[in-house]
Amino acid sequence: MCPKPALIRSITQLGFTLVELVVGIVVMAVAFTIITTLLVTQSRDSIDPLHQMRAAELGQSILNEIVSRSYDQYSDHNGGLYRCGEIWWQGDANVSGSSWFDQANQGWVAWDADPNAQIVLCSTSLGPEAGEVRGGGENTFNDVDDYITPYVDAVSFGDTLGQPLNGVYQNFQLKIDVVLAPSFGGGPDTAKRIDLTILSPSGNEQLFSAYRGNY
């Protein structure tokens, strides 16, 4: 006895055709691609705030260190009593018994012996002087423009003692520029602007700036 035609049709229609399988695979692949892209984007966005926080902590720490240094190589490094660009006096100016600082000979001269007091000039070029280093457990930078540096690894740049930074700053980079800022201080050697750029591992730059007056 042969099966009825309706039964034959229902048996042959069970399962998927090859074309249907291929279309299903393509649809699933497209869906997984979209989902993966969304997950990667969300993952990257979730780490950015952490990088920004660490960059802010690092930037503030470095700026605090820089502005604590003297304005210039020829500033007074012992309390800031004297400023470059002026005559340094011990006692009242231009009176018997006083002394002025001789920059050329790095010593004090009695006004009675030589009344031709000279101005202590500020540096004519910016950057670290010969022999000044920061790193390897040593930090001899004593004025703000000593810190001028191109992009360097933040961990190796180190802390205020010249020791390597904590590993949480791995893959961070930093750059420091220092320029004269006469418009801020009101004169040619009255202030310097410090620009610190932090480059995060995700490639985002954050700029921090501060001014150091000649005092």
Side-chain angles (χ1 to χ4, degrees):
M1 181 177 178
C2 296
K4 294 180 179 180
L7 181 60
I8 293 175
R9 285 197 299 272
S10 65
I11 293 175
T12 57
Q13 288 174 354
L14 294 175
F16 299 97
T17 66
L18 179 60
V19 174
E20 291 172 332
L21 287 172
V22 171
V23 172
I25 292 172
V26 171
V27 171
M28 291 295 292
V30 172
F32 278 124
T33 301
I34 295 173
I35 293 172
T36 302
T37 302
L38 291 174
L39 289 175
V40 169
T41 302
Q42 290 178 350
S43 176
R44 183 177 62 249
D45 292 343
S46 67
I47 198 67
D48 280 346
L50 178 60
H51 286 165
Q52 291 172 1
M53 180 186 70
R54 288 179 176 167
E57 292 174 346
L58 180 61
Q60 189 61 55
S61 175
I62 294 175
L63 277 184
N64 286 342
E65 176 187 339
I66 297 175
V67 298
S68 70
R69 299 300 191 261
S70 298
Y71 171 80
D72 191 80
Q73 176 68 18
Y74 298 116
S75 296
D76 174 23
H77 300 301
N78 299 311
L81 179 62
Y82 304 104
R83 310 193 310 171
C84 66
E86 297 179 345
I87 299 174
W88 295 8
W89 290 101
Q90 286 184 338
D92 295 331
N94 297 307
V95 296
S96 178
S98 64
S99 300
W100 56 272
F101 188 77
D102 183 359
Q103 185 177 17
N105 296 305
Q106 291 295 294
W108 292 94
V109 177
W111 181 83
D112 295 290
D114 185 355
N116 298 311
Q118 303 293 319
I119 292 175
V120 175
L121 301 175
C122 297
S123 300
T124 56
S125 61
L126 303 180
E129 282 70 35
E132 294 181 335
V133 295
R134 188 186 190 282
E138 187 177 8
N139 184 3
T140 58
F141 287 176
N142 59 4
D143 62 90
V144 295
D145 57 84
D146 288 343
Y147 286 84
I148 295 175
T149 181
Y151 269 116
V152 294
D153 178 69
V155 173
S156 61
F157 182 78
D159 59 20
T160 188
L161 300 177
Q163 299 290 350
L165 286 174
N166 190 293
V168 298
Y169 297 110
Q170 192 73 37
N171 298 322
F172 281 82
Q173 293 186 311
L174 61 90
K175 178 181 70 170
I176 303 171
D177 295 308
V178 180
V179 296
L180 294 174
S183 60
F184 179 82
D189 241 316
T190 53
K192 292 176 181 176
R193 190 184 76 239
I194 306 152
D195 294 324
L196 167 63
T197 305
I198 304 291
L199 181 65
S200 72
S202 54
N204 295 322
E205 287 186 342
Q206 287 185 250
L207 177 63
F208 305 86
S209 296
Y211 287 89
R212 177 66 163 90
N214 185 3
Y215 55 84

